[in-house]
Amino acid sequence: MSFYPARLGGRCMKAVFGVIFLAFVLAGCSGRFVEFAASNRIDASPDRGGFGVTFFGTSTLLVDDGDTQILIDGFVTRKRHNFIRRIEPSEPQIQEAIAAHRICPAPGRTAVRSRPDHCANNPKRGLALVIPAHAHYDHALDSAYFAAWAGTRLVADPSIVATFDATRARPWKTPMHWQSVEFIPPFASPDRNTRRLRVGNFTVTLIRSHHLENPLSQLAGRETSRDLSLPAHLWEFGEGTTLAIRIERGGRSILIVPSAGLPVEPLEAGEYRSDVVFMGIGGLGWKPLAERESYWNSLITATGARRVVPIHWDNDQAELSTVEANFRPSPALRLDATLKVFERLAERDNVELAVAPPRKRFDPFNGL
Ligand SMILES: [Zn+2]
């Protein structure tokens, strides 16, 4: 079924989308946020051991201690006009990310015989887990590809499995290890809201969470169809199970909240103590002030965080390989409105508000 009324021609549709885009740009001022992102950035750290994080835009993060690599989302396929075109994983863009960030196949998987040169010196190094924060395209489009390329574990509810099957059905130039992928259900049963996993020296806790209500998520629906085939329109990727993720190593911890929604069970104060919160802000600028404040207050109270790193604020159509100084903000997110509230609350709570460097490994606890 076509999304568009048949009587609207291509030129007319472009005009309609142009007007909608212009309205977003005018309404979604982000000039102050751009200045803020340029002058409040965490320094990149040299590539060495310890708790390292690399930010790829949206909420894709690579956590890497030199041996164990954990990929949150793994969305790197950027395509212009993705709202009106069908999308699927871009093998060149994924392979560029693998090479640039020295991502390696899962350690100890004998089925994966060929290791790229950047992995040859350390047989223990590798991608041990892929965690799509939920099944929408801007989180999970490339998750299955990454997991099958690495032959590793994939946190997968039925929507992620549907995307996995659709990805598997496509032809890929690179050798893939579909049989080696181990699915990890997000929770042991429907009435459980957390799951703890040991991954190398990291302890990972998956936390069932809400997704921010917005028109796109309603358009996409709750689940991805088992009949999904690629390429597909972005609203064919349902939400599935939405997660926040806490990752701890050596007594230091981060909490990643990709979807600007709180955990379904209110977190007790200190229950998920975290030094740093990677706080999704996509769509938050359109929410009432009280909702923005409550989101911040709940997460800071529960974690006692001393640093907040906003994520999911960039334009997801700009190819990552073209990003140099910083990501471009999405024109539709009213980032200045969110920043204004967050700056006030950060000062009140004595929390640092800082932006992650684009595509460079950094120590999230640096200076704390
Ligand atoms: Zn989403």
Side-chain angles (χ1 to χ4, degrees):
M1 184 185 74
S2 173
F3 175 69
Y4 306 114
R7 65 180 181 279
L8 294 178
R11 199 173 286 179
C12 182
M13 284 309 302
K14 277 184 185 169
V16 169
F17 276 105
V19 169
I20 293 171
F21 181 77
L22 193 61
F24 270 137
V25 170
L26 293 175
C29 294
S30 300
R32 278 238 324 110
F33 187 89
V34 172
E35 287 171 26
F36 173 85
S39 53
N40 293 274
R41 193 183 303 164
I42 303 167
D43 291 335
S45 301
D47 191 8
R48 48 189 157 76
F51 199 136
V53 176
T54 306
F55 178 50
F56 296 71
T58 53
S59 56
T60 289
L61 298 156
L62 178 68
V63 175
D64 185 350
D65 67 358
D67 288 335
T68 303
Q69 300 174 316
I70 300 169
L71 189 60
I72 309 300
D73 289 350
F75 168 66
V76 299
T77 294
R78 305 301 187 97
K79 187 168 184 175
R80 281 168 58 77
H81 310 304
N82 62 11
F83 198 77
I84 51 175
R85 296 163 72 184
R86 287 187 168 87
I87 53 176
E88 66 176 334
S90 160
E91 190 157 45
Q93 290 190 54
I94 296 173
Q95 288 296 329
E96 190 273 340
I98 286 171
H101 301 287
R102 302 174 61 234
I103 299 172
C104 298
R109 291 289 170 131
T110 52
V112 182
R113 297 188 188 284
S114 60
R115 289 174 66 81
D117 290 346
H118 63 252
C119 311
N121 295 337
N122 184 355
K124 286 197 318 184
R125 180 174 170 84
L127 188 57
L129 184 64
V130 179
I131 311 173
H134 60 276
H136 284 157
Y137 81 98
D138 51 348
H139 300 264
L141 180 64
D142 303 326
S143 304
Y145 183 107
F146 274 108
W149 174 83
T152 196
R153 298 193 290 170
L154 173 67
V155 173
D157 71 349
S159 290
I160 298 296
V161 172
T163 306
F164 180 93
D165 290 341
T167 309
R168 184 177 191 166
R170 301 294 291 156
W172 303 108
K173 290 189 181 137
T174 309
M176 303 291 270
H177 307 281
W178 302 100
Q179 301 283 4
S180 299
V181 174
E182 179 188 348
F183 291 145
I184 311 274
F187 303 106
S189 63
D191 61 338
R192 300 294 294 271
N193 291 325
T194 59
R195 175 168 213 152
R196 191 159 291 188
L197 302 164
R198 187 79 182 155
V199 189
N201 288 322
F202 294 101
T203 302
V204 175
T205 308
L206 309 177
I207 305 166
R208 195 190 299 272
S209 295
H210 295 291
H211 189 285
L212 183 97
E213 296 261 325
N214 62 45
L216 186 57
S217 59
Q218 286 174 356
L219 185 64
R222 279 292 310 145
E223 304 286 344
T224 302
S225 166
R226 268 188 291 174
D227 300 327
L228 178 76
S229 69
L230 295 174
H233 284 298
L234 56 83
W235 51 83
E236 294 179 66
F237 297 85
E239 179 190 333
T241 308
T242 289
L243 303 171
I245 303 122
R246 181 176 182 271
I247 304 180
E248 187 267 335
R249 183 187 186 281
R252 310 218 77 173
S253 50
I254 62 174
L255 179 70
I256 304 160
V257 187
S259 308
L262 293 168
V264 296
E265 279 181 9
L267 300 177
E268 299 292 328
E271 188 178 7
Y272 289 103
R273 193 199 61 74
S274 303
D275 302 287
V276 179
V277 177
F278 289 81
M279 203 179 274
I281 61 170
L284 204 62
W286 296 96
K287 292 293 173 187
L289 177 62
E291 198 168 318
R292 276 176 274 164
E293 290 182 334
S294 153
Y295 176 59
W296 172 285
N297 290 339
S298 300
L299 291 174
I300 296 303
T301 304
T303 60
R306 286 172 289 152
R307 173 176 284 156
V308 167
V309 181
I311 55 173
H312 213 328
W313 51 265
D314 58 303
N315 177 350
D316 70 12
Q317 299 186 26
E319 272 199 36
L320 291 177
S321 59
T322 68
V323 173
E324 291 179 0
N326 213 341
F327 296 107
R328 268 185 273 159
S330 168
L333 295 180
R334 298 192 78 221
L335 296 170
D336 286 1
T338 301
L339 179 63
K340 192 174 169 190
V341 177
F342 277 18
E343 282 186 312
R344 174 169 54 79
L345 297 174
E347 191 174 346
R348 181 197 69 184
D349 296 340
N350 196 24
V351 170
E352 183 192 287
L353 195 56
V355 171
R359 299 196 70 186
K360 290 207 166 59
R361 188 181 189 276
F362 65 99
D363 172 0
F365 315 110
N366 187 20
L368 290 184

